[in-house]
Amino acid sequence: LPKIQAKQIRAERIKLHKANMKKEQQANPSAPKKKGAFNPKLWPMLGQKGYEDSCRKSLLECNKAMHKDANVDDTLSGTTVISASFHDGRLTVCNVGDSRAVLGVKVHKESVLASASADQEEEKEEISEHDAAADRQKEELIASITSLGDNKLLAVPLSQDQTPYRPDERERVKACGARVMTVDQIEGLEPIHEDWGKRSGEDIDEVGDPPRIWRKDEDFPGTAFTRSLGDIVAKDLGVSAEPEMVSVQISKSDRMLILASDGVFEFLTNQQVVDICSGFDDPLEACKKVVNEAYKQWLHYEIRTDDITIIVLFLECDKEASAGDYKNTVELLSMAGKQGQKPMKNKDIEGDRTSGERSNSMYGGMDTQAVADAVKAEMKE
């Protein structure tokens, strides 16, 4: 993916440089023709839209490359992606799936609180019938910022989990023909409903049986995410490689960037992960501590572990935070609702089976190789 993205960005910058040279030549035809079309020092930096377009093309191209690679069987397998790149003072995060990007920010509490309060007043003026849940969420956000210790970094989410817990994602895949049900619902052990929490990240996956995506009359593919690279069998059900992106201007307040898979956040909150990393001067040691803590939590509450992968970057920037940056921080905190404020699994509730057992029954005891072979044959037809 990094190689494909570098190629896309290089091509876009060259294209923009050539267009600029052509405009200059047309504006002054008598001027000698400039050289250096392929000198990287002369290529202009891309704007936010141009850079995000390049990132999007890169992910879609990578997905196609996986499909075509004879050494990669992604019929019933795939991967989530969380990527971060820096360009002209901006940080751009691309998200496909349910891994996360979290920014550790040294907030000026008074400025952020003033921005949050101003936003709350604007919303009340704009909406005649004010959404009580959204209002309560904003109040809780203000309370969490107020209670933050003076020397602590605030965990600011730069991504939203793309899973069937999100109503918008659930409706999107259903419109593509998917069934959205838990394993217990598929097996007739639980009534059919969609009461999986009104806001993602709030006491979700309480008994290890998340809503999954299924074909209409088949017990596969059973993906617990709504976007990914690979997973050909789920493509027609709306599981795509189309990324969601967030771009922010980096400032002096931004001290840390964390990229991690969902296994890290199963029993740890975004803030807990930031707090752990804040105790280290070496990002590698911070990574080791988070992995060890997540691993211990998994073994304490489960009979298995999920993928536990993390990258930690310590950031340094001389640019002072502006009023716009404070407003952006509030918007990012509001964007994901309560996601990451509580662990993905509720530690206080245990189901009749462990999530490890549920995971093993995802395909209902079916021969997954036979399923893969059948799907491939269907695709050829």
Side-chain angles (χ1 to χ4, degrees), residues 186-205:
I186 285 282
E187 295 177 351
L189 301 176
E190 183 182 355
I192 303 300
H193 66 82
E194 291 191 1
D195 185 21
W196 297 306
K198 294 180 179 179
R199 289 177 291 193
S200 62
E202 186 175 10
D203 289 341
I204 66 172
D205 202 7

Side-chain angles (χ1 to χ4, degrees), residues 140-303:
E140 291 169 353
L141 169 60
I142 292 173
S144 68
I145 297 172
T146 303
S147 62
L148 189 72
D150 291 337
N151 295 318
K152 288 183 67 174
L153 299 182
L154 178 66
V156 179
L158 297 179
S159 62
Q160 283 186 280
D161 297 349
Q162 296 157 351
T163 73
Y165 282 111
R166 272 176 55 180
D168 58 335
E169 287 291 282
R170 187 163 67 240
E171 292 306 314
R172 184 179 63 79
V173 296
K174 284 167 62 178
C176 294
R179 284 189 301 166
V180 179
M181 303 169 69
T182 64
V183 171
D184 276 356
Q185 288 175 330
I186 285 282
E187 295 177 351
L189 301 176
E190 183 182 355
I192 303 300
H193 66 82
E194 291 191 1
D195 185 21
W196 297 306
K198 294 180 179 179
R199 289 177 291 193
S200 62
E202 186 175 10
D203 289 341
I204 66 172
D205 202 7
E206 292 181 333
V207 291
D209 190 16
R212 298 178 181 272
I213 294 172
W214 314 88
R215 282 194 171 190
K216 281 293 185 184
D217 301 309
E218 304 285 352
D219 291 347
F220 66 89
T223 64
F225 42 79
T226 54
R227 306 193 195 199
S228 71
L229 266 62
D231 292 298
I232 294 177
V233 72
K235 180 180 178 182
D236 292 339
L237 302 177
V239 179
S240 74
E242 188 72 35
E244 290 183 319
M245 288 177 280
V246 170
S247 291
V248 296
Q249 289 287 339
I250 293 297
S251 74
K252 201 172 185 177
S253 300
D254 303 318
R255 305 293 179 83
M256 180 189 305
L257 176 64
I258 296 169
L259 305 174
S261 62
D262 63 323
V264 170
F265 301 102
E266 203 79 6
F267 299 103
L268 298 174
T269 66
N270 291 353
Q271 189 63 54
Q272 285 175 323
V273 174
V274 168
D275 290 346
I276 292 171
C277 294
S278 297
F280 294 87
D281 296 323
D282 183 347
L284 178 58
E285 293 305 314
C287 287
K288 290 179 180 178
K289 181 63 176 178
V290 171
V291 169
N292 288 337
E293 186 60 34
Y295 187 71
K296 284 196 302 183
Q297 293 288 329
W298 269 100
L299 294 185
H300 182 75
Y301 292 102
E302 299 280 355
I303 61 171

